[in-house]
Amino acid sequence: MSVDSKAFALATDALTPTINRRVINSALKDEQALNATFIGQERAREALTFGLGIDAIGYNLYVMGEPATGRFTLVKDYIERQVARLSSPDDWCYINNFDEEREPVALRFPPGGGKVFQKDIAQLIDDVLDTFPVAFDNPGYQRKRASISRDFEQKYDEAIDAVERYANANDIAMFEESGAITFVPIVDGKPANDSHVATLSKQQRQHFYTLVDELENRLSEGLLSLPAWKRENSERLRELDRGTAEQGIKALIKDLEHQYAANLGVMKYLKQLKTALVDAILVIHQEEQKEEKSDDFDKKIFLEEQLLPNVLVANKRDDAAPVIYEPNPTYQNLFGKIEYTNIHGSVFTNYRMIQPGALHRANGGYLLLDVDQLIEQPYVWETLKLAIKSGRLRMDLPQQDVGMVNNITLNPQPIDLTVKIVLLGSRDLYYTLQDFDDEFDELFRVLVDFDLEIPVTRQTLFDFVGKIRAHLASLGLKGITANAMCRLVQFSLRKAEHKEKLSAHFAEVIELVNEAHYFCAMAGASEIELGHLITALDAKKRRTGRVSQTLLNDIKEGHVLIDTENKAVGKVNGLTVLDVGDTAFGTPARITATVFAGASGVVDIEREVELGQPIHSKGVMLLNGYLGNKYAQHFPLTLSANIALEQSYGHIDGDSASLGELVALISALTEIPCLQTLAITGSINQYGEVQAVGGVNEKIEGFFDLCQYRGLTGTQGVIIPKSNAINLVLDATVVDAVKKGLFHIYTVETVDDALTILMQQEAGKLSSKGRYPKNSLNYHAVNRLYNIALIVSGGDGE
């Protein structure tokens, strides 16, 4: 009994989506479309608006979604537009702590104030260098210095003169040469030399020796206070130098004190600066006094290293709040670092070698981070949470943990932290952090959840066109034709595998536009046309199609056995989809089943050889449940059957072959052949209802390619679940073949529907008496199962 399959066939208009060309034409002309930020994603938009608007501790954001869905671009663009009305944050500087140099002090300034303060200090340094050493050449200073020196020399001369007078009174001459004093006896009115002294009598010589000893004692006593005079002289000279330096910088500092009178931090710094600057001037003065000056001593650098502020963060008054994205969130990139230099073999650092991190630059604004990378960095996650909770940004570098145990480092004063953290991460990581980190929910209270698919509405279509136009403008293109834009919309629908939903993976659409731009430029055109898109799609299919072409060639050459004609018992053409790299393609696979008397049940060969993954094995195990529920209500289900996906040598997962496997099993059970001109996909439940599967477009096109190669006869086609009809966004070649009646696409809701189409015979419905119509498919299945049960139990089968 033959049946008409046309009742299950899909009409041509059901194979592709209907695109609202009126909206597209409108969006291509409307300038407002260029301002589109989000495409759909209303839930994410609302959450983002709430998270950015609420000003409370702990309301940081976690943006959840898959990579390449445009979430980063959309979030960053949206935040930048939202924060454009916010004021610029304050500047931060580090200055030298003259009391404790290992603890630099942080200073806060209004926007732009940091650079101004740095410029003022730089000007102060220049003024100081202009003032000194000129101030030390002043006649007044020179007179005071000469007076102090005369006082010392006068005391010295008086002490020497007293000894000399006593020596002369006792006929002893005193000589001073190169700072050394000697005494010589006077004989006959002349200083005696050694030979002359030798001619004197013993008594005379002894007299002179005694006088010389006494004179030396008197000299020692007279010059006993010489070190004290020296110290007093040096101290007076230092006081003179210090007083001169203080007097010289007094007016310079006073100007700054007037300018920064309202800033207590700067006033405190200027107070310390007076003493430090005087000390620095004295060091420079001493260097200037040296006869051999050091070649590596630079006065300006010497002063800058001690006085010039280190502007860590500089903003402009008319800037918006910063929006910073840190792609590599290492500890130093986030929290800043302290650099070191090597001076004569020693490691050296100071406050001017403190470098800012992303948190410093984002302070007062927003910081975007990839949490998947963040948590892989040592110490970063815990330190970030501490900074958020405390509202203070410290630079507690984990020196001892990274091998810098012996180096002296700085402990900069922490700065106030006001920043909104936006984490971008996967769904799995979000739930993992919720489970294992008690503080996560406390600190990241706002979830921004991006959908993988976007419902097609007038607004989303309008925004989609606007985003494409904005990208084309960035490429320098004049525009895009309406037909080409419709093809881009269809491409996005195909990626989403839904007639009424766009794919959130907008990056793939942009990728196609970029590739079409290449062919557009090659043709010398100023706008993208439909032909450029088709060329780009064909080129990519060819670039990435080696594996799919190889599999199709294997079928063409007979290495893989797939029939597209006639009928066969226990054999069905299944449909599979393979993902290789960034491309997916469908290919047919033969499903076979054998049935014989026994009690081992349905055996999944793929599972037995450990090629079948859990979901595939579950699909096969459902077959037992279906057979028992459908046919074995009045006798035990007893049979032995083997099911295999022929010539499959890799791991198989998914239950989309379960419908085909069941049809092959019933064909083998009833010995009624199946059409080989058709291929089938779909999963089932225990009640025989057919459920939707993935990759339906690729599966249909994979079988179509084979049939087209062998020649379309008008009898070929595919069977898919009826619930998959909404997912059909097929290639124009397939649609055209269906339109001409050369290829067919059938939809089924139950296993009986699939059996009816493939075996060209009514499946049969259960009567009120619990029986199937005679000669129906189900009738033959019940009989065969009953006979096998009798054989296995020892009875006589029919």
Side-chain angles (χ1 to χ4, degrees), residues 399-677:
Q399 307 282 25
Q400 294 183 348
D401 299 309
V402 295
M404 296 181 64
V405 181
N406 298 322
N407 286 346
I408 296 174
T409 189
L410 303 178
N411 183 25
Q413 185 182 42
I415 68 174
D416 296 334
L417 181 65
T418 306
V419 65
K420 186 82 77 171
I421 306 293
V422 182
L423 297 181
L424 297 99
S426 63
R427 285 176 167 76
D428 291 343
L429 186 54
Y430 176 79
Y431 297 121
T432 301
L433 288 171
Q434 272 194 327
D435 291 340
F436 293 99
D437 193 330
D438 295 335
E439 295 175 321
F440 178 71
D441 281 337
E442 177 187 340
L443 298 176
F444 294 89
R445 299 179 186 272
V446 183
L447 172 63
V448 182
D449 193 357
F450 272 74
D451 292 319
L452 289 175
E453 297 166 348
I454 303 165
V456 176
T457 63
R458 290 181 64 88
Q459 187 61 48
T460 55
L461 205 55
F462 189 84
D463 292 340
F464 180 92
V465 176
K467 291 290 284 185
I468 296 294
R469 286 180 59 198
H471 183 67
L472 291 174
S474 69
L475 295 176
L477 287 169
K478 180 181 176 182
I480 184 171
T481 64
N483 287 337
M485 185 60 77
C486 288
R487 185 65 184 86
L488 282 175
V489 173
Q490 185 182 9
F491 174 80
S492 184
L493 294 170
R494 169 66 178 257
K495 287 297 179 181
E497 292 192 12
H498 205 287
K499 292 179 182 177
E500 299 173 2
K501 292 181 180 179
L502 295 168
S503 171
H505 287 260
F506 192 69
E508 294 178 332
V509 179
I510 294 297
E511 179 185 345
L512 176 57
V513 172
N514 291 337
E515 293 173 9
H517 173 223
Y518 169 79
F519 293 105
C520 177
M522 293 282 287
S526 60
E527 65 176 8
I528 290 181
E529 300 173 359
L530 179 60
H532 302 142
L533 286 175
I534 294 173
T535 304
L537 286 168
D538 291 343
K540 182 168 185 178
K541 185 176 181 180
R542 177 165 177 77
R543 288 197 308 271
T544 60
R546 186 190 62 81
V547 177
S548 60
Q549 189 62 44
T550 301
L551 291 174
L552 183 60
N553 288 340
D554 287 343
I555 297 173
K556 291 176 181 177
E557 294 168 2
H559 298 156
V560 174
L561 302 179
I562 300 290
D563 288 333
T564 54
E565 294 178 355
N566 303 321
K567 299 180 179 180
V569 173
K571 297 177 184 177
V572 169
N573 290 327
L575 294 171
T576 62
V577 64
L578 300 176
D579 286 298
V580 180
D582 62 346
T583 184
F585 58 89
T587 183
R590 175 179 283 181
I591 301 171
T592 60
T594 56
V595 176
F596 48 91
S600 57
V602 179
V603 176
D604 176 16
I605 292 178
E606 314 298 332
R607 181 185 178 191
E608 294 300 312
V609 297
E610 298 183 354
L611 287 179
Q613 301 299 295
I615 297 177
H616 176 262
S617 299
K618 174 188 175 183
V620 176
M621 293 174 74
L622 287 172
L623 303 187
N624 272 318
Y626 173 79
L627 292 174
N629 179 64
K630 184 82 172 178
Y631 303 122
Q633 294 290 345
H634 304 293
F635 58 88
L637 178 63
T638 310
L639 85 160
S640 291
N642 289 339
I643 294 178
L645 225 63
E646 299 293 351
Q647 292 182 284
S648 169
Y649 307 108
H651 290 292
I652 299 169
D653 203 4
D655 60 352
S656 65
S658 57
L659 176 59
E661 289 167 339
L662 180 58
V663 171
L665 180 62
I666 293 176
S667 173
L669 184 68
T670 61
E671 297 182 350
I672 298 174
C674 294
L675 290 173
Q676 301 300 292
T677 55

Side-chain angles (χ1 to χ4, degrees), residues 55 66 122 150 246 253 256 342 387 390 409 423 426 442 455 488 499 550 584 587 606 621 634 720 728 730 733-734 748:
D55 187 15
E66 300 305 316
R150 280 197 304 272
E246 288 176 350
I253 297 290
L256 287 175
N342 192 303
S390 65
T409 189
L423 297 181
S426 63
E442 177 187 340
L488 282 175
K499 292 179 182 177
T550 301
T587 183
E606 314 298 332
M621 293 174 74
H634 304 293
I720 63 171
L728 293 180
L730 290 169
T733 310
V734 181
V748 295

Side-chain angles (χ1 to χ4, degrees), residues 8 688 690 719 747-758 763:
F8 300 98
V690 178
I719 299 171
T747 59
V748 295
E749 294 183 85
T750 64
V751 172
D752 284 351
D753 292 344
L755 292 173
T756 299
I757 297 171
L758 275 170

Side-chain angles (χ1 to χ4, degrees), residues 62-230:
Y62 187 103
V63 179
M64 184 165 74
E66 300 305 316
T69 56
R71 57 180 183 173
F72 168 72
T73 305
L74 293 175
V75 168
K76 191 169 187 295
D77 289 350
Y78 189 76
I79 291 176
E80 286 175 346
R81 295 189 186 190
Q82 288 283 94
V83 304
R85 64 180 184 274
L86 299 181
S87 58
S88 178
D90 291 336
D91 289 0
W92 285 95
C93 299
Y94 271 116
I95 55 173
N96 197 355
N97 184 346
F98 299 106
D99 295 334
E100 178 52 71
E101 291 193 354
R102 290 184 61 187
E103 298 180 3
V105 176
L107 285 184
R108 188 175 196 157
F109 293 93
K115 286 289 186 183
V116 172
F117 180 62
Q118 185 186 53
K119 186 176 179 181
D120 290 339
I121 298 299
Q123 185 61 49
L124 173 66
I125 292 172
D126 289 339
D127 292 343
V128 167
L129 292 176
D130 291 340
T131 305
F132 302 94
V134 175
F136 293 116
D137 295 333
N138 185 285
Y141 167 81
Q142 293 295 340
R143 282 197 300 272
K144 291 177 183 179
R145 187 175 183 88
S147 176
I148 293 170
S149 297
R150 280 197 304 272
D151 289 346
F152 170 75
E153 291 171 359
Q154 186 177 349
K155 288 181 181 180
Y156 180 79
D157 291 342
E158 287 175 356
I160 297 297
D161 288 346
V163 174
E164 188 174 15
R165 284 195 301 270
Y166 182 79
N168 291 337
N170 290 280
D171 296 329
I172 299 292
M174 188 180 77
F175 295 96
E176 185 175 0
E177 186 177 355
S178 300
I181 296 176
T182 57
F183 297 98
V184 179
I186 297 175
V187 180
D188 298 333
K190 296 179 180 179
N193 54 29
D194 290 342
S195 59
H196 196 177
V197 171
T199 60
L200 299 176
S201 64
K202 183 177 181 183
Q203 185 177 359
Q204 287 176 315
R205 289 200 305 271
Q206 187 61 44
H207 172 70
F208 283 124
Y209 292 155
T210 302
L211 282 174
V212 169
D213 287 341
E214 184 181 353
L215 286 169
E216 287 179 345
N217 289 335
R218 281 177 175 268
L219 180 62
S220 297
E221 289 175 1
L223 297 180
L224 190 62
S225 299
L226 183 62
W229 299 340
K230 280 268 190 186

